[in-house]
Amino acid sequence: MQKMAELLGLRDECGEGTVGSPALSGSCLADNRLNLDVYPDGCRRFLQLFKEQQGEVVQVEFLRLSSNDCLLDTTLGSLPHLKHLKSLVLKGGHARDEFGSCQHGSLTSLPPDFGNLGCLTHLDLSFNRLSTLPSCILHLPSLRVLLVSHNSLVTLPEDFGCLSKLTFFSAMKNQLKNLPQSIGELSMLQDLDLSENALELLPEEVGNLHNCTELDLSGNRLLSIPDSLASLKSLRRLHLHSNLLVTVPASLASLPNLSRLDLQNNCLRAIPAEIQALPFVHVRGNPLGETEPSLQAGNCKASAAVHCTINKFMHSSGSFTVTSEGCRVVLACGIHFYFPPGAASAPLRICFRSLTPDPRWVKLRHHDVLLSRVLELQPHGVQFQQEVQIWMPYVSPQTPHQHEVVVRTFSGQSWSDLKTRVERKRKSKKYVAHCCVLHFSWFLVVSRLVQNECKVPAEGTLLFSGVDPNIKVIFPPGVTKEPRSVKLQVLPVSAEEIQEITANAGCRASPLLYLSQDCTVDFLKPVRIQLPLPPGVTGLNLDRSRLHILHGDLEGQTWNDITSEVVLEFTHLYAVFEVTHFSWYWLWYTTKTYIGGIAKKVYERLRLYQVNFIALQRKKDPEQVLLQCVPKHKVDPVLKKLQDRYRGPEPSDMVEMFEGEQFFAAFERGISIDMDRPDCVDGRLSFIFYSHLKNMKEIYVTSPVDRKGQAVKGQVSFYRGAVPDSIPEDASRRRKGPDSLWLATLPIKLPQLKPRWDENPGPLYGFSFPPLNLGNAETGYLTQANLLSIARRVGADWQSIGLSLGLSYQQIERIGYNNREDLNKQILDMLFSWAQQNSEDPECVSKLITAMKESGRQDIADEVEAIIELGRQKYSESIRRVGLEQESSTEDSAIAMM
């Protein structure tokens, strides 16, 4: 095994030490375990080991590989040689797409001789692309735990019941439509999770699962459940929420061990009295007592709609089912849907997820402001029979008069604006954007310049601005042969803004006018435009030599003075001129001669936001750093809100950024971060600046420098990223050069470390606990080193594990809140909080193993058992060596060492 560690490069990464020592306790290799899913090239490392040290590799009992690895198919052929393998994890989800969502692995099948792994008890194939369950799995005689969640399974094999030793099975988030009758033959099954599938009917044989303690059928399409469920005498928890149930059997109330029955978000209009009397039944989100259920949604009423509400604890992605009866759905983020009766002709599973906007595909127009995250709704392109209504909450814009809020949707190729109505919630007084659609795709809320539009017929028409009615466009008769659509937008510019940017009190300008049309052909006759004269200028005091009409291109890159090319007419308050094609028009009054360059500078500045950067450290844990880019006018309120929990330097000097511009944060001078974060690019944290969204991240930093002798005085620097597509040419030119990308630098100080826990037990990753020896001489002990190794395996399951360990919901929520943005800290806090509470309990190790099994983490349970057994063996060997074996038959347990 020492040679294997060297081949994996572990001595360079972890320092000196032998396999099983604390120095290697967090590595990918520990005794008979290979944790290679932490490496992007884990499969390559495995193949190298298998080639050079095959004799040792085939002894491995616990193996973890990432199915996102490009060499997975090659590696699969070697796995059947691992005859001692007990636990195998081939999960996807280790890579993320451009939206930050977990990518499924490439696994679609397993080799036939995979069934020869006679010792395999735990198999995890989650987050892959399995459409059918590989037949070789049915030949694994010792299999007790099987996880195939987040795949594409449509059905299970008819002889699935032959897995007679199976105690835990999870197939959540698949596409299962039915279950085989043989599922009732799984007599040892204790936990069955079939949530988030497409099940419409359950076989009666489910009632034969007499050892089942937890059954999760939530998020399916079940209209009813069989009476045979009343035969599950061991059942403790039954999850049936988010289905289409119209009735439930009263016999469920007779289950002797049932402690939770979740019937929320169904179509139940009546519930048997026996079930209603149960103190642990949950029935919210059902139309109880309604004979003709109604719905009030905005100004719309539906007389035959079913009300269903998504559980408020649901994450940023999930699914729900819509039937021909229609329904209302409320997501945790505040988004509302109304599906009228008949919108869907058959039951339809709707999938949703909230995405972080990425400027590579979220293309904002000039002067647009993003007000929400991106909402993706699937299936894409499915045509509804009636319009579906959507209400999306958003951040209120700062300039409500000159801007309007619209919902924008992406067709897969381009973005377009939907007809939107802004409404205000009665209770919260917050605003939502309401739109109607016939198909689903991607949606977001933006604030754009107020847009007035009209259809121009051959007879001509008149178009006014909704922002400034003094701005109008006159289309004379004969201006076009075929009707065409015309849009008008206005950007008011105050005299103070012009003066501040130009540093010239004599410069004045009218509002900016933007005209566009849906036709590429110029108008047949000139179109008359009326603009108000710049502030302080009238037809009586007008110096015509100082007045300029500027024409800008679509991107505002060039501004040409066309005063000599048009006929200007003046009234007391207005200037009138004629054009034949549309774009930007701007009326300036100045003594300057080269006015085009000044206008270009002003236009660029109007699109920029003045911001400051802050870098704060949590008072209780200086290694937790909060980074944020804050608009200048919000800096003081933000700092006031954070001052009780954080400390740090003054904000950076003011810099200017464009909406949707990328920037990076780089930790320097002895401070580093986790390079495996999905938002980490070349060692730097990536941000996207959106003026109305939170540009904030809270992360944990470390230092490779020895901090036992002194504190580390480092820094974080902010740099510009890729130049936005629509950035002005001059601004792009200024961002070239060695220092042109630097924005700001703020100091970060990490205090001097106290002695390490393995030298002098004390603070451990921010936690201060006395030395831990969990357990007793009969069951063996677990140390801090063991718990730290276990913590690295837990992952996103930490909340369910914490609840199984006996922590309260309040404790779990507090741990999650105090350590938000850092999963590792949440896991450590949960695990060591439990350890501190149970350090005197001699049965705590057994409870830990049980909790891991109940949470579906048989792999960790097996690891804990292996640690304990290894400790017993080492202790027995040690007492034999010193001749003490006969002195005590009870001292055959040892402190488990890695």
Side-chain angles (χ1 to χ4, degrees), residues 457-479:
E459 297 80 13
T461 190
L462 179 64
L463 179 61
F464 288 90
S465 165
V467 175
D468 187 346
N470 296 315
I471 299 176
K472 58 184 177 181
V473 183
I474 305 166
F475 300 89
V479 73

Side-chain angles (χ1 to χ4, degrees), residues 523-582:
F523 288 100
L524 301 179
K525 290 184 178 182
V527 175
R528 289 175 65 84
I529 298 176
Q530 174 181 293
L531 286 177
L533 292 171
V537 179
T538 68
L540 298 178
N541 63 6
L542 175 66
D543 181 352
R544 301 187 68 158
S545 65
R546 299 175 59 183
L547 195 68
H548 304 267
I549 292 289
L550 301 182
H551 169 263
D553 63 1
L554 294 177
E555 295 299 325
Q557 295 278 13
T558 59
W559 292 89
N560 298 317
D561 190 340
I562 61 171
T563 309
S564 61
E565 303 173 19
V566 300
V567 177
L568 270 172
E569 301 175 9
F570 300 98
T571 67
H572 181 62
L573 298 175
Y574 310 115
V576 181
F577 57 97
E578 295 181 341
V579 298
T580 56
H581 61 279
F582 282 176

Side-chain angles (χ1 to χ4, degrees), residues 449-460:
L449 294 177
V450 172
Q451 182 172 286
N452 302 102
E453 56 186 303
C454 70
K455 209 68 163 167
V456 179
E459 297 80 13

Side-chain angles (χ1 to χ4, degrees), residues 144-284:
R144 291 188 292 160
V145 177
L146 176 61
L147 298 96
V148 289
S149 58
H150 294 270
N151 276 279
S152 302
L153 298 175
V154 177
T155 186
L156 297 175
E158 286 299 326
D159 52 348
F160 184 71
C162 68
L163 294 172
S164 58
K165 294 187 178 181
L166 205 63
T167 61
F168 182 97
F169 177 56
S170 174
M172 68 174 295
K173 289 247 178 184
N174 278 273
Q175 301 168 24
L176 295 174
K177 296 182 179 179
N178 53 62
L179 298 176
Q181 294 180 348
S182 65
I183 196 168
E185 299 172 13
L186 301 175
S187 58
M188 299 181 65
L189 193 65
Q190 298 176 9
D191 291 87
L192 177 59
D193 187 353
L194 299 172
S195 59
E196 301 291 329
N197 278 279
L199 296 173
E200 299 178 0
L201 191 66
L202 295 178
E204 289 285 343
E205 287 75 11
V206 172
N208 296 331
L209 302 175
H210 299 300
N211 286 309
C212 187
T213 60
E214 181 158 4
L215 177 59
D216 194 341
L217 298 167
S218 59
N220 281 281
R221 303 177 183 175
L222 297 171
L223 295 171
S224 63
I225 54 176
D227 293 335
S228 60
L229 287 188
S231 302
L232 304 179
K233 303 302 182 183
S234 301
L235 195 63
R236 297 177 183 174
R237 292 175 290 274
L238 177 57
H239 306 276
L240 295 169
H241 67 81
S242 304
N243 275 280
L244 305 174
L245 296 175
V246 295
T247 181
V248 289
S251 54
L252 291 180
S254 65
L255 291 173
N257 294 303
L258 195 64
S259 60
R260 180 178 179 84
L261 175 58
D262 194 343
L263 299 173
Q264 297 180 92
N265 309 324
N266 278 281
C267 304
L268 297 169
R269 296 173 185 168
I271 295 178
E274 297 90 335
I275 291 181
Q276 284 187 338
L278 298 175
F280 46 78
V281 65
H282 302 269
V283 296
R284 287 184 58 190

Side-chain angles (χ1 to χ4, degrees), residues 126 218 267 286 309 341 349 498 585 652 695 840 881 883 886 890:
S126 304
S218 59
C267 304
N286 285 283
T309 305
R349 170 60 58 88
I498 296 292
Y585 292 97
S652 71
N695 309 287
E840 303 298 326
R881 284 196 299 269
Q886 301 300 323
T890 61

